[in-house]
């Protein structure tokens, strides 16, 4: 999409949105769910979830990576999670990975030598190519790993323990549009 068409689309969308919805959104946000996903342009959160404006608090990162909790090295991602949980009081967090993820491929040796910031963010692990048939399983394992990091945030752990917060892992298949949820031993279709 060229920039001119993008601006026209944005203006048309803004004009078609009801004034009542605009007033409701302007009054403040009260999302019930935080949705953490990849910055990949093929991931359209509202299309995946059917969510209306204002119902999801989104955090998009390269590879839906959640950095470890550290008050000595705070990050934008950490601050966003803190705000969603402690200020907005979301009751659900979804960590959503996806198929054909360049970041997950890079984590397994997918050639990002020319991207030093990305390399530092992802901290690549064992070598493996992005064309490996195990990439779907690795993507799902990546979601599980991000859930572990998230559940180590003290305020997340406290809210989960008290029953005020539930945390979910999802995997979105770009080719089929299917979403599966992390269960104890597998990802099962929603």
């Amino acid at each position: 999409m060229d920039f001119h068409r993008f601006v026209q689309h944005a203006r048309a969308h803004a004009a078609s949105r009801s004034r009542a919805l605009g007033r409701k959104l302007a009054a403040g946000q009260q999302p019930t769910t935080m949705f953490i996903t990849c910055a990949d342009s093929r991931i359209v959160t509202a299309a995946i979830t059917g969510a209306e404006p204002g119902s999801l608090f989104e955090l998009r990162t390269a590879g839906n990576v959640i950095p470890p909790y550290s008050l000595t090295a705070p990050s934008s991602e950490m601050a966003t999670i803190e705000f969603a949980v402690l200020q907005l009081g979301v009751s659900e967090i979804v960590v959503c990975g996806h198929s054909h993820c360049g970041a997950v491929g890079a984590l397994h040796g997918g050639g990002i030598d020319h991207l030093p910031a990305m390399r530092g963010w992802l901290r690549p692990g064992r070598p493996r190519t992005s064309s490996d048939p195990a990439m779907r399983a690795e993507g799902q394992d990546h979601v599980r790993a991000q859930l572990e990091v998230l559940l180590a945030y003290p305020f997340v752990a406290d809210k989960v323990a008290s029953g005020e917060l539930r945390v979910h892992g999802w995997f979105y298949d770009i080719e089929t549009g299917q979403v599966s949820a992390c269960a104890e031993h597998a990802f099962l279709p929603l």
Side-chain angles (χ1 to χ4, degrees), residues 36-39 61-66 95-98 101 103-104 142-143 146:
I36 301 172
T37 194
C38 186
T61 71
N64 63 283
V65 170
I66 299 170
V95 177
C96 184
H98 66 94
C101 183
V104 172
H142 178 70
V143 170
Q146 299 317 301

Side-chain angles (χ1 to χ4, degrees), residues 42-153:
R42 299 168 293 179
I43 308 304
V44 181
T45 306
I48 294 170
T49 64
E52 295 293 322
S55 63
L56 292 179
F57 191 73
E58 294 184 45
L59 173 60
R60 296 178 72 120
T61 71
N64 63 283
V65 170
I66 299 170
Y69 184 81
S70 170
L71 289 180
T72 59
S75 67
S76 172
E77 296 79 18
M78 198 170 85
T80 302
I81 295 166
E82 179 184 66
F83 184 79
V85 173
L86 298 179
Q87 182 68 30
L88 297 175
V90 298
S91 58
E92 312 279 340
I93 298 179
V94 175
V95 177
C96 184
H98 66 94
S99 64
H100 309 290
C101 183
V104 172
L107 276 166
H108 301 285
I112 56 169
D113 292 340
H114 64 293
L115 303 170
M118 181 71 77
R119 247 190 355 261
W121 174 249
L122 295 174
R123 297 171 193 72
R126 71 192 190 301
R128 186 162 292 169
T129 67
S130 59
S131 62
D132 190 310
M135 280 301 290
R136 179 180 176 94
E138 287 173 351
Q140 293 172 345
D141 288 346
H142 178 70
V143 170
R144 281 192 178 94
Q146 299 317 301
L147 288 171
E148 287 179 23
V149 171
L150 178 64
L151 289 167
Y153 280 43

